[in-house]
Amino acid sequence: MSTKTSTNTALNMLKRFEWRQNIIYIGFAAVFILFAVLLSDSGFSNPNNLLNIFRQTATISIMAVAMTYVIAAAEIDLSIGSVAGLAAVVTAMTINSYGLIPGILAGLAVGAISGAISGGLVAWLKVPSFLVTLGMLGLVVGVARWITASAPVPIADQTYITIFGGGDIGPIPGLLVWVVVAVTIGAIVMNKTKFGRHVRATGGNLVAAGFTGVKTAKIKFMVLLISGIAASFAGMLYAGRLQSGRFQWGTGDELSVIAAVILGGTSLFGGRGQVVGSLFGALFIGLINNGLILAGLDVSQQQVVRGAIIILAVALSRKK
Amino acid sequence: MNTNTPAIEMRGIEKSFGTNPVLKNVDFSVSVGEVHALAGENGAGKSTLMKILQGVYQKDAGEILVSGEQVQITDTFAARKAGIGMVFQEFSLIPTLTVAQNIFLTNEPTKFGLIDDAKARKLALDIFKEMEVEVDPSRTVESMPTALWQLTEIAKALAQNAKVLIMDEPTASLARNEAEGLFALIERLKTRGIAIVYISHRMDEIYRIADRITVLRDGSRVLTESLKKVSPEQIVEAIIGRKAAAHLVHKNRSAKISKEVVLEVKNLSSGPKLQNVSLQVRRGEILGLAGLMGSGRTELVNTLFGILKPTAGTITINGKQLDISSPQQAIQNKIALIPEDRRAQGLVLDHAVTENLTLPLLDGLKSSGLLSKRKILARSKEIIEQFDIRLAYPGIRVGSLSGGNQQKVVIGKWLGTNPEILLMDEPTAGVDIGTKSEILDLVRKIADSGKSVILISSELPELLSVSDRILVLKDGHVSKSLNREEIPSEEFLQLAIQGAA
């Protein structure tokens, strides 16, 4: 390509720079620099601390990748936090009774089943996903408490703990590898495959997509199925990192995940999906959590500041 | 070119919804390279016929032939495979995707299993080049003006190798020069052998672009004729079924216009689109606003209604100078606006007719501090009767009514507030001829009852038939003020608008 055309392309890209879709990168960099300066004494920029941020946000990041698809299709999934909790306890119980492989499969099956039920109801019975997954949120957490009598289920299987959480590959935490894999696949599928394109078409204009031949019902089913599986995978990572299954793992994560996705530039009205943006949205939330702890705020203060920052950031990212 | 075998032929099409027959033994055919206009009132069966062709509905009886061969159009996929493309009235594109992504949606070119967007852009560019139009395939649809949406839809149909294009009111949202561009494109498509079904309410366009016309009325075909052999009067008669194209004739008003000036606007400006506009409206007068798209007509009424903020000038009502900077203030001063886009701005489509009609009136419909269902229903029934709104029951969803009846609901809603000054922005857009004449009669009646009306319409015969005076706007200012008697013909007004006279 000649220099002239590449300058033109660059100019065009600049002209089309979309504030809403890219604010997350600016915000991320700004907050990062701010914390690096203000919290340099508290060890914020210490590589170990930075890796910790990655570790702690791994589960949110992975669920955010799937949630990007759900929201791009103009649906929502509120059940992911509960599904993660149930997957964690089911995996732990199954490993203890039947071994590693059955445990992993059982954990994934939790998300596949709940996602398929939600997806089926939304796609073919046309029940709004907000209601279906709100119901599923309560139902799933109830099951998790029921089968464990609300007690934690410890995991002793070292292989499982190494793969799903605690382990490192050289200097790189295993959790980081999972996140990179999920985001890479998620971004390619969203931007470069028919499925991703059809997800955005479904969310962008349901009727037009249907008339053009997009199987919109199937798309809705698939995004909720994927979201369920991703949630159960995140639950299994919790179980690995914390070496036990508890129904509380993942509680409330749906809100962080949705905030991460919106921060990342995906429209709540559907039609847009920014997988890489969602990752940075998740990291942004992790960054703030970490910074507030290092700054010495107590838990209640952290909650207030975190809430305010997220509202502010989402408001900014909605600006045209 | 072989014009003996029609591109599509529909024979003896029958369709009923429940026990209600909507198409009765309809024949319709379009030759290769022909533009065939399809006309009829709303509810005459035009869209049902076209939806059968597109595979959205299934016919009860009859047959469809494409290039002489019988086809079974069981769904929209089958229709596309048979080469039938649709340019929708309400656009069928995904706003968040790019032009190229829309054109090749479900048909994406791939490389190693992944979508090859560069190739899609190149193919899209080729199609636009063939159409001799300029559209940037890498822009997102939502960032483009609507005229380009339509070109994208046509390109999308062509990319699917459509032999037949169905265009439903394609100029409804276009400015004049954009419409000219579309007509030129249609000519080029004709020479490539594309057959076009052209659905329109606008007679001038039909004569301009179509070769033949078919008129449907109450589900039956009443006329198919070459446009060289049929007069506009004959077409209108076929459409409305009675000798009454009289709605477009200027009628003398039964009530005299009083001398009293109700509204006086002096040197009103708002932004770059409205500059230094002065006008007077008297009690009982209908003031028509003429002008091209973007001439400032909508901006003028929006400023009078407080939606746009005036940057200079004064508004005086009944001798009192007022500061109108919000719709609430306008309503308090007895101004009502019937907006241009009734679906988006005038109605809550999902709500019942009763709720829509009484929305601005709720303060008067309470009993012991709470809304009274009985009073709401009673008031609604009055308005429904007064405006002859045709519906199954008052609680029906507004969205399920025809365009004309929806418009009557909007008018009824605002007249219920008993305004003195009624602003109407394109009140007959997308409304069938029968309802059109009813709405125009209604406008006359409203003015006769001592109210003042400011009416915007792009259809000049309509404007000429009701206005007492016409103000021509150009580039945001008043270029001419004409009494109705000073306008000898539609052509004269057209020239004034174009700025040639």
Side-chain angles (χ1 to χ4, degrees):
Chain A
M1 197 183 281
S2 73
T3 1
K4 198 180 163 207
T5 37
S6 58
T7 350
N8 275 345
T9 328
L11 266 177
N12 276 336
M13 277 173 69
L14 200 64
K15 237 186 275 172
R16 284 191 208 125
F17 181 81
E18 286 200 39
W19 174 256
R20 171 165 57 188
Q21 291 182 15
N22 295 301
I23 176 114
I24 184 61
Y25 305 113
I26 301 167
F28 182 83
V31 170
F32 190 91
I33 293 167
L34 186 77
F35 282 177
V37 174
L38 292 181
L39 302 171
S40 57
D41 297 344
S42 320
F44 173 80
S45 333
N46 184 318
N48 254 339
N49 184 51
L50 297 180
L51 281 180
N52 248 337
I53 296 177
F54 258 110
R55 275 200 198 94
Q56 281 155 2
T57 49
T59 47
I60 300 287
S61 302
I62 285 169
M63 288 189 276
V65 171
M67 185 66 86
T68 309
Y69 283 79
V70 178
I71 294 181
E75 299 294 342
I76 197 82
D77 187 350
L78 300 176
S79 67
I80 52 174
S82 304
V83 171
L86 181 61
V89 300
V90 167
T91 306
M93 291 167 85
T94 315
I95 287 177
N96 292 346
S97 310
Y98 301 99
L100 178 64
I101 303 294
I104 294 170
L105 293 178
L108 291 174
V110 167
I113 292 168
S114 73
I117 294 172
S118 299
L121 288 168
V122 170
W124 289 289
L125 294 184
K126 315 258 182 251
V127 191
S129 54
F130 184 89
L131 296 177
V132 170
T133 58
L134 186 62
M136 194 59 83
L137 181 158
L139 193 154
V140 168
V141 83
V143 172
R145 298 184 70 148
W146 192 357
I147 59 175
T148 59
S150 299
V153 185
I155 299 177
D157 190 315
Q158 279 309 316
T159 321
Y160 180 83
I161 292 170
T162 310
I163 300 173
F164 289 93
D168 292 328
I169 302 173
I172 304 162
L175 285 168
L176 183 56
V177 175
W178 286 122
V179 171
V180 170
V181 169
V183 171
T184 309
I185 294 175
I188 291 174
V189 170
M190 179 65 86
N191 294 314
K192 284 282 159 194
T193 67
K194 293 193 177 201
F195 176 71
R197 191 63 53 83
H198 292 186
V199 166
R200 283 190 283 151
T202 302
N205 183 343
L206 185 65
V207 176
F211 274 145
T212 314
V214 175
K215 296 190 172 68
T216 53
K218 191 179 143 202
I219 294 286
K220 290 184 173 195
F221 174 79
M222 287 299 293
V223 293
L224 285 163
L225 179 68
I226 291 169
S227 176
I229 294 172
S232 56
F233 190 76
M236 290 157 66
L237 294 183
Y238 272 122
R241 181 154 64 91
L242 301 163
Q243 305 188 3
S244 63
R246 281 185 90 140
F247 74 89
Q248 291 101 325
W249 298 161
T251 303
D253 276 1
E254 56 277 355
L255 299 181
S256 307
V257 169
I258 292 167
V261 172
I262 302 301
L263 281 170
T266 296
S267 164
L268 203 45
F269 301 105
R272 266 176 257 272
Q274 306 268 103
V275 172
V276 177
S278 298
L279 168 67
F280 276 83
L283 290 175
F284 181 82
I285 292 174
L287 205 61
I288 288 174
N289 286 343
N290 183 269
L292 295 180
I293 293 167
L294 292 183
L297 272 64
D298 68 35
V299 177
S300 50
Q301 289 167 326
Q302 283 174 32
Q303 282 179 329
V304 171
V305 175
R306 187 170 50 211
I309 291 177
I310 289 176
I311 290 173
L312 184 75
V314 171
L316 279 176
S317 67
R318 298 221 11 91
K319 189 180 157 191
K320 279 229 170 173
Chain B
M1 199 176 297
N2 178 12
T3 44
N4 296 329
T5 312
I8 44 163
E9 189 170 8
M10 303 175 83
R11 287 187 197 149
I13 303 293
E14 306 256 351
K15 176 74 185 171
S16 302
F17 290 121
T19 55
N20 183 19
V22 282
L23 288 175
K24 297 170 228 165
N25 193 25
V26 172
D27 298 335
F28 182 70
S29 76
V30 192
S31 308
V32 174
E34 180 193 38
V35 177
H36 195 142
L38 183 60
E41 296 194 279
N42 290 341
K46 287 176 307 198
S47 35
T48 309
L49 187 67
M50 288 303 110
K51 280 184 175 153
I52 287 173
L53 193 56
Q54 295 163 61
V56 178
Y57 296 151
Q58 299 306 306
K59 59 187 174 357
D60 297 340
E63 48 188 19
I64 300 173
L65 291 84
V66 174
S67 305
E69 281 180 41
Q70 192 154 348
V71 289
Q72 293 304 323
I73 297 181
T74 47
D75 54 27
T76 51
F77 300 97
R80 277 201 299 155
K81 233 172 129 195
I84 294 159
M86 177 82 188
V87 177
F88 287 85
Q89 183 179 17
E90 316 227 324
F91 296 98
S92 70
L93 300 174
I94 316 292
T96 50
L97 297 184
T98 68
V99 171
Q101 291 173 345
N102 265 291
I103 290 174
F104 294 102
L105 186 61
T106 68
N107 198 17
E108 296 88 351
T110 54
K111 198 162 131 188
F112 311 123
L114 298 179
I115 293 178
D116 187 350
D117 272 313
K119 188 172 174 202
R121 276 196 296 276
K122 205 186 142 292
L123 291 173
L125 216 51
D126 290 345
I127 295 169
F128 286 124
K129 220 172 263 167
E130 267 184 61
M131 287 164 64
E132 297 176 35
V133 295
E134 257 187 55
V135 181
D136 177 0
S138 56
R139 275 178 82 173
T140 57
V141 166
E142 64 191 343
S143 70
M144 306 193 306
T146 45
L148 298 186
W149 291 43
Q150 203 164 47
L151 295 178
T152 305
E153 289 209 51
I154 294 171
K156 181 172 160 185
L158 294 178
Q160 292 156 1
N161 286 321
K163 294 177 212 151
V164 183
L165 281 182
I166 304 165
M167 297 190 177
D168 192 352
E169 294 276 1
T171 58
S173 56
L174 299 186
R176 193 168 194 92
N177 62 327
E178 294 167 344
E180 289 299 326
L182 178 69
F183 294 152
L185 173 60
I186 289 175
E187 290 294 340
R188 290 195 290 274
L189 294 174
K190 275 175 71 168
T191 60
R192 287 182 46 190
I194 306 265
I196 293 168
V197 181
Y198 193 92
I199 301 174
S200 180
H201 289 301
R202 298 190 184 185
M203 205 65 80
D204 54 336
E205 276 175 18
I206 291 175
Y207 272 94
R208 167 83 199 269
I209 199 70
D211 302 302
R212 276 196 298 167
I213 184 167
T214 287
V215 176
L216 297 182
R217 187 170 77 227
D218 298 329
S220 301
R221 186 176 63 91
V222 289
L223 175 84
T224 297
E225 189 56 89
S226 158
L227 281 159
K228 293 197 181 86
K229 297 182 195 155
V230 64
S231 72
E233 289 76 22
Q234 286 171 303
I235 294 174
V236 171
E237 194 198 319
I239 291 173
I240 61 183
R242 47 188 186 259
K243 280 265 180 198
H247 75 286
L248 291 181
V249 176
H250 184 72
K251 282 184 199 154
N252 281 328
R253 299 259 307 282
S254 55
K256 270 254 154 61
I257 303 166
S258 97
K259 288 237 151 50
E260 184 192 344
V261 173
V262 176
L263 171 71
E264 175 153 31
V265 173
K266 272 195 184 149
N267 307 325
L268 191 67
S269 299
S270 175
K273 287 200 162 169
L274 190 67
Q275 290 151 17
N276 211 14
V277 169
S278 299
L279 60 90
Q280 284 190 344
V281 188
R282 291 172 295 163
R283 184 172 299 284
E285 185 179 38
I286 303 174
L287 176 69
L289 291 185
L292 300 172
M293 285 253 186
S295 60
R297 297 170 302 173
T298 297
E299 287 76 11
L300 175 57
V301 294
N302 283 353
T303 310
L304 291 176
F305 195 62
I307 296 171
L308 296 176
K309 297 222 183 323
T311 46
T314 58
I315 300 171
T316 311
I317 294 175
N318 290 327
K320 236 172 57 190
Q321 189 177 322
L322 297 168
D323 168 35
I324 295 177
S325 53
S326 73
Q328 285 74 26
Q329 281 169 319
I331 294 167
Q332 274 165 22
N333 288 298
K334 298 213 164 272
I335 302 176
L337 170 68
I338 295 175
E340 189 173 7
D341 182 353
R342 61 178 168 266
R343 298 171 72 88
Q345 301 169 328
L347 293 169
V348 186
L349 287 175
D350 256 344
H351 287 184
V353 169
T354 48
E355 288 178 59
N356 272 285
L357 280 176
T358 53
L359 192 59
L361 312 172
L362 292 177
D363 280 338
L365 299 173
K366 289 179 187 163
S367 69
S368 35
L370 297 176
L371 291 176
S372 155
K373 238 187 175 158
R374 194 178 47 78
K375 284 186 185 169
I376 288 178
L377 187 62
R379 186 79 187 91
S380 302
K381 279 186 175 160
E382 277 172 41
I383 303 175
I384 289 168
E385 204 163 303
Q386 190 185 349
F387 294 104
D388 193 21
I389 302 169
R390 271 156 245 163
L391 34 68
Y393 53 96
I396 196 167
R397 244 171 37 89
V398 166
S400 67
L401 300 183
S402 71
N405 277 310
Q406 286 183 6
Q407 188 63 297
K408 287 190 200 169
V409 172
V410 181
I411 296 175
K413 165 180 158 183
W414 284 111
L415 284 183
T417 63
N418 204 20
E420 286 197 34
I421 301 164
L422 185 63
L423 313 172
M424 303 177 102
D425 194 352
E426 300 280 8
T428 62
V431 159
D432 63 73
I433 288 185
T435 315
K436 226 174 231 184
S437 70
E438 283 180 46
I439 289 176
L440 294 177
D441 272 336
L442 199 60
V443 173
R444 290 189 190 102
K445 252 201 302 199
I446 292 164
D448 285 346
S449 71
K451 300 179 193 309
S452 309
V453 179
I454 297 182
L455 173 79
I456 297 178
S457 175
S458 294
E459 294 197 29
L460 302 185
E462 202 177 289
L463 205 56
L464 286 168
S465 73
V466 291
S467 305
D468 302 307
R469 204 150 50 84
I470 292 179
L471 224 52
V472 181
L473 295 188
K474 193 164 184 256
D475 302 330
H477 61 266
V478 179
S479 76
K480 269 196 173 59
S481 168
L482 299 161
N483 282 324
R484 179 63 184 87
E485 308 83 64
E486 296 173 289
I487 305 171
S489 65
E490 191 187 328
E491 288 71 29
F492 179 88
L493 182 58
Q494 184 60 259
L495 289 173
I497 292 172
Q498 308 278 3

